[in-house]
């Protein structure tokens, strides 16, 4: 069982291999990023609590969903003691159940079929596959623990400009659902 009162950089690798179920789709998490609150300039909570990020200051084990670039709904799992504003961005995963529903949410009719490994690769795609919405802010996460800890690596975060070199991105090596660039792991 994950103790969501721990800091994001401790919780993040524990999420790898776990199953998250939301709105009829289940995804095995293969990639996450930790955002450690006020000491992390890349965190939405770095400058304090606002109406937009309030869910991130809530109890651990709940969702913080936000709109990225005006089009993607990304989801974080809140962690650390309540009030600290830490969370783990769900970056990538493998669809385990509900593939048809995930495809319906993701596939545009005028485009070629999306390869299976791309259905939930990237935080916006994962959010869309799960059917996340802004009204999910603060709701409990439906998480099924993994049977065993997978091999994992840590490296720099991607898709951000602040504190990007911090080794706070965690992924299962060789998982085809991990975002590119996979980068070199930090040791």
């Amino acid at each position: 069982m994950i103790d969501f009162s721990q800091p994001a950089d401790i919780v993040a690798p524990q999420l790898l291999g776990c199953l998250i179920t939301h709105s009829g789709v289940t995804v095995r998490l293969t990639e996450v990023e930790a955002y450690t609150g006020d000491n992390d300039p890349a965190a939405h909570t770095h400058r304090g609590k606002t109406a937009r990020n309030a869910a991130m200051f809530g109890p651990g084990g709940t969702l913080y969903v936000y709109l990225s670039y005006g089009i993607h709904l990304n989801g974080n799992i809140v962690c650390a003691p309540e009030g600290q504003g830490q969370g783990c961005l769900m970056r990538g995963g493998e669809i385990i159940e509900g593939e048809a529903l995930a495809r319906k949410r993701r596939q545009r009719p005028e485009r070629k079929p999306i390869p299976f490994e791309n259905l939930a690769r990237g935080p916006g795609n994962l959010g869309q596959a799960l059917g996340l919405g802004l009204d999910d802010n603060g709701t409990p996460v439906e998480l099924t623990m993994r049977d065993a800890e997978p091999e994992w690596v840590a490296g720099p975060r991607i898709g951000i400009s602040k504190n990007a070199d911090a080794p706070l991105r965690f992924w299962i090596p060789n998982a085809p659902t991990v975002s590119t660039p996979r980068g070199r792991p930090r040791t």
Side-chain angles (χ1 to χ4, degrees):
M1 188 55 102
I2 296 174
D3 178 1
F4 287 105
S5 68
Q6 296 179 89
D9 58 333
I10 302 298
V11 171
Q14 295 177 53
L15 291 169
L16 294 172
C18 292
L19 306 180
I20 181 166
T21 301
H22 186 79
S23 298
V25 173
T26 299
V27 171
R28 176 179 292 119
L29 294 173
T30 58
E31 179 184 16
V32 295
E33 282 182 352
Y35 288 88
T36 57
D38 61 4
N39 66 343
D40 182 355
H44 288 181
T45 56
H46 175 67
R47 297 189 192 276
K49 189 175 181 178
T50 66
R52 178 184 183 218
N53 70 17
M56 193 94 134
F57 289 88
T62 58
L63 286 171
Y64 164 57
V65 180
Y66 67 94
L67 191 61
S68 176
Y69 300 110
I71 54 173
H72 301 291
L73 287 167
N74 296 348
N76 286 260
I77 298 175
V78 176
C79 56
E82 193 167 346
Q84 287 195 8
Q86 295 191 33
C88 300
L89 174 67
M90 297 180 288
R91 282 204 59 85
E94 174 190 5
I95 305 291
I96 300 299
E97 291 180 11
E99 180 182 347
L101 183 54
R103 282 191 182 283
K104 183 177 178 183
R105 290 174 178 156
R106 293 269 350 271
Q107 188 67 56
R108 291 168 58 186
E110 70 277 8
R111 299 227 171 139
K112 289 192 254 183
I114 297 170
F116 177 79
E117 65 272 10
N118 290 348
L119 284 173
R121 180 194 294 174
N125 295 335
L126 191 147
Q128 189 175 18
L130 286 173
L132 293 179
L134 294 176
D135 57 338
D136 292 315
N137 266 327
T139 61
V141 172
E142 187 178 333
L143 195 70
T144 303
M145 293 305 299
R146 60 195 183 198
D147 293 331
E149 181 178 3
E151 178 186 349
W152 58 270
V153 293
R157 296 182 288 194
I158 57 175
I160 59 173
S161 58
K162 297 177 183 173
N163 203 21
D165 288 335
L168 295 174
R169 181 168 155 251
F170 304 87
W171 70 94
I172 297 173
N174 302 314
T177 55
V178 172
S179 302
T180 53
R182 288 177 175 82
R184 288 190 320 239
R186 301 280 168 110
T187 55

